[in-house]
Every structure is written in C-alpha cells, then in structure tokens.
Amino acid sequence: MTVTTHTIAVPAHAAGAIPAFVAEPPSGSGPGILLLQGIFGVNGHIRRRAEQLAALGYVVVAPELYWRIGRGIEIDEADGDALERGLAYRRQLQLPVAIDDAVTVFEHLRSMPGIFRRSGVLGFCLGAGIGFGVATHAGPASAVLYYGSDIPGQLGRAVHVRCPVLFHWGGDDDYIPEETRERITGAFAQRDDVESYVYPGASHAFDNDRSPVFSRPEQAAQAWQRTTEFLGRTLPVGHH
C-alpha cells in the first residue's frame, strides 16, 4: 500500500473554491495536517513534503494560496527568475484574505472523512506566517513554522496561539534578522510547549533542496527530524 494523492476544491467564504493538493496515508485515515506553501506555490517541494507526511500516517491538505491570482501557480526554485516571480505573486497576495482562506481549508480538513479529531498546521516561509494566523484563529492541535517572515506583524495575537509550536530559523536568514527571531520567540518565553531552533549558517528556505541557497542538507535533515518527532508528540498518528 502506498500514499495516494488527488486534488479537491474547498468552497471559499465569499465565492469561488480553493484548489488543494491532498496526500493520504496508505490507511486512508489519520490526523490532518494543513500544509502551507512558500512564495513558489504548491510546487514539487510542497508536494514531496506532503507525501512524506502522508507516509507517516497523516492526511495532508495543501491549498493553493495564490488561487485568487491564478490557478495552478507553481515555480521551480531552480529557475533563474524564480525569486523574482515568487515575490511578484507575494506582493499581490492580501495576507488577511490568505489567512481566511487557509482557515477555511483547515475547517474543511477537520470535517473530511477519515480525519481524526485532532489536526495541525505546518508552513514554510509565506506559509509559516499564514500558519501563525491559522493558529491564532482556528485552534489547531499543533503548529510547525519554518522561517516565517510574516509572523512579526501578527505578534499582537500571540496570546491566541494555544497549541504547541515548533519554530525553525536559519541563522543566516537575510529576511529574518536575529532581533526579529528573538522578538517572536520572546512572545512565547513563558510557554514550555513552544520550541525554537536556530540553524547556524543556514539561509532562508534552508529546507528546500531545489533552492539555489540550499547548502546545509544536514541541517535541513535535522530540522525535519525534529519536525516529525514534534508531530509524533503533539499530533500522534495512533490517537483519534
């Protein structure tokens, strides 16, 4: 038995439907994970991570956050103009609207057949900022947030994040300086269920092996191991 994938369309709050990639475990059921893309769309990196999470026993849904701009937008990070194109799409995205769309998909995920009662959120880059918004609005059971540059503007809502959180940061991230990281983690300083790791020498998007800045595979592997162990504790596959 293998992981299966397909796409769905989730009705948006106002009008239209949000396309989403779904990866299901061999069992067909498990806890849900809302997987949120970076600026490059639901591309190969996101689909691979979705399938890896599904292989661990999770039902994973990755919505196209750019769907209001265009359908099927995905960029190969190795393309010469990838960053320019990704940032252009990001500038067109309205963050509050994207958070609302993500919450909508998260609520749909929790109601899908075969989903265990508890579901979490995992986001990369842009998706980590949106995932933080989901954590403040929708009460996930767990949140894993990789290098979220859109988190600082939402710190006023940190008190509404009640689930365990795992933060990953690149030590040499050009978009998130040390003082910003410390401000974010400082908002959770009194929480013993919030973990934060900095990977020395790693740049922004250090998880993505298609990125031109990918140079620390051992740190990407360490962060992913911490992610799966954290999910195993906070969103265990064997518990309904």
Side-chain angles (χ1 to χ4, degrees), residues 185-221:
T185 55
F188 297 92
Q190 306 306 314
R191 294 270 302 271
D192 59 8
D193 60 346
V194 175
E195 302 176 30
S196 180
Y197 295 97
V198 178
Y199 299 86
S203 59
H204 193 75
F206 70 83
D207 180 73
N208 193 334
D209 62 1
R210 292 290 294 171
S211 171
V213 299
F214 183 78
S215 61
R216 303 288 180 117
E218 70 285 352
Q219 293 189 334

Side-chain angles (χ1 to χ4, degrees), residues 13 17 26 69 93-94 107 109 112-113 129 133 140 143 152 161 193 228 232 235:
H13 278 156
I69 303 166
L93 189 74
Q94 295 178 287
E107 292 170 346
L109 167 63
M112 286 169 57
V161 179
D193 60 346
T228 58
L235 198 63

Side-chain angles (χ1 to χ4, degrees), residues 8-233:
I8 59 174
V10 180
H13 278 156
I18 307 161
F21 175 81
V22 180
E24 295 182 343
S27 66
S29 63
I33 291 180
L34 179 71
L35 180 62
L36 297 171
Q37 67 179 64
I39 63 169
F40 302 110
V42 180
N43 62 1
H45 169 243
I46 297 300
R47 290 193 296 270
R48 284 193 301 276
R49 284 307 195 201
E51 292 173 11
Q52 288 163 348
L53 290 166
L56 295 174
Y58 298 99
V59 177
V60 186
V61 177
E64 291 185 18
L65 298 176
Y66 290 152
W67 74 281
R68 296 176 185 274
I69 303 166
R71 302 297 181 102
I73 293 172
E74 61 173 290
I75 301 168
D76 186 338
E77 298 86 348
D79 289 347
D81 63 348
L83 183 60
E84 179 183 350
R85 290 164 59 204
L87 290 173
Y89 285 125
R90 170 64 187 90
R91 285 192 290 269
Q92 296 179 65
L93 189 74
Q94 295 178 287
L95 195 67
V97 175
I99 290 172
D100 184 69
D101 284 341
V103 169
T104 298
V105 177
F106 185 70
E107 292 170 346
H108 178 83
L109 167 63
R110 288 201 285 201
S111 69
M112 286 169 57
I115 292 291
F116 292 179
R117 184 173 56 87
R118 303 171 78 249
S119 294
V121 59
L122 191 160
F124 295 98
C125 182
L126 166 65
I130 293 172
F132 188 90
V134 171
T136 70
H137 286 88
S142 178
V144 179
L145 306 174
Y146 277 78
Y147 33 83
S149 54
D150 287 300
I151 295 174
Q154 303 177 68
L155 279 183
R157 291 189 55 82
V159 66
H160 299 289
V161 179
R162 298 188 171 91
C163 66
V165 182
L166 172 60
F167 290 107
H168 295 296
W169 311 102
D172 286 355
D173 191 326
D174 292 334
Y175 300 94
I176 308 173
E178 182 180 0
E179 60 192 8
T180 301
R181 290 198 310 262
E182 291 179 351
R183 189 155 56 90
I184 294 169
T185 55
F188 297 92
Q190 306 306 314
R191 294 270 302 271
D192 59 8
D193 60 346
V194 175
E195 302 176 30
S196 180
Y197 295 97
V198 178
Y199 299 86
S203 59
H204 193 75
F206 70 83
D207 180 73
N208 193 334
D209 62 1
R210 292 290 294 171
S211 171
V213 299
F214 183 78
S215 61
R216 303 288 180 117
E218 70 285 352
Q219 293 189 334
Q222 182 182 38
W224 189 249
Q225 181 177 353
R226 285 171 170 162
T227 291
T228 58
E229 290 173 353
F230 179 82
L231 290 171
R233 295 192 305 272

